[in-house]
Structure formats: C-alpha cells, structure tokens
Amino acid sequence: MERITRALYIAPVAILLSITPAHAAHGESEISEWQKKRLFSPTAAQVERENKGQVFIYDGLTDKEVERAVEEEYDRLHAIMFTGIVVTDARGEPMRDPVTGELLFENDGCDY
C-alpha cells in the first residue's frame, strides 16, 4: 500500500518535470514572437475558435504591442486578454527598475 501511495505523489511530479524542460528550452523572445504572430496574423481556425468563445491570454508583450493590437485587432478584442504588459520608453525599449534591474510591468490592478 505504501508503494502505491508513494507512486501517487511521484507520478505528478515526474510529469511536471518532463514538461518543464521543453518549455524552458524556448527562449523568451521565441515565445514573444510566437504570440505576436498569433496576435497579428491569426489562422482562420484560430479566428473561428475565438468567434466560438475561446479566449487567448497573451503574456509579456510590450505596451506598444498591446496598443497596436487594440488598433489593428479591434474586432477580436472580445477573445483577447493581456497580462504581464512590459512598460517601454519613448523608443519602445523595455524599461527596467533602476534598483533591481528587473523589467517594469504595468499595474494590472490585481495586487492583493
């Protein structure tokens, strides 16, 4: 019985560990490029799913990219959500906290 109980705890961890390296292998810029392609050049199938109620959450795009999406993809906004929006300067470069050096993100109003 103890062996079965241990297996029930180990199996989910093993699955999680097997998934994580594949995701980590993608660079942040690759994920961003994939999201931008999906946002600005969706396939007909993606648009169809959105029209049937599917919502896609885009994470880590810049404020400039979000502004562009609002202007260019207005008819699809019902199916789009943005999180982790990176703040940029006047040149469109990501801004960083002067103390920590970490990227600055827009306040999404979800602070607890």
Side-chain angles (χ1 to χ4, degrees), residues 31-110:
I31 293 170
S32 178
E33 289 303 315
W34 175 82
Q35 288 187 105
K36 285 189 279 187
K37 181 178 178 183
R38 188 186 194 290
L39 179 59
F40 296 114
S41 301
T43 66
Q46 289 167 337
V47 172
E48 182 180 339
R49 285 192 300 272
E50 291 172 355
N51 289 333
K52 290 181 178 180
Q54 183 182 58
V55 174
F56 191 85
I57 302 171
Y58 294 88
D59 182 53
L61 298 178
T62 68
D63 52 7
K64 303 287 189 273
E65 293 161 340
V66 172
E67 288 173 19
R68 178 182 165 204
V70 169
E71 291 176 15
E72 295 179 14
E73 305 299 329
Y74 184 80
D75 293 341
R76 295 175 51 226
L77 290 181
H78 67 279
I80 296 173
M81 179 183 272
F82 299 104
T83 64
I85 300 170
V86 178
V87 177
T88 60
D89 61 19
R91 297 172 301 173
E93 295 296 318
M95 294 180 66
R96 296 190 173 273
D97 182 292
V99 176
T100 65
E102 294 180 7
L103 288 175
L104 294 177
F105 296 93
E106 285 189 4
N107 183 346
D108 60 9
C110 292

Side-chain angles (χ1 to χ4, degrees), residues 19-33:
I19 293 171
T20 303
H23 176 69
H26 292 290
E28 191 172 312
S29 63
E30 289 177 26
I31 293 170
S32 178
E33 289 303 315

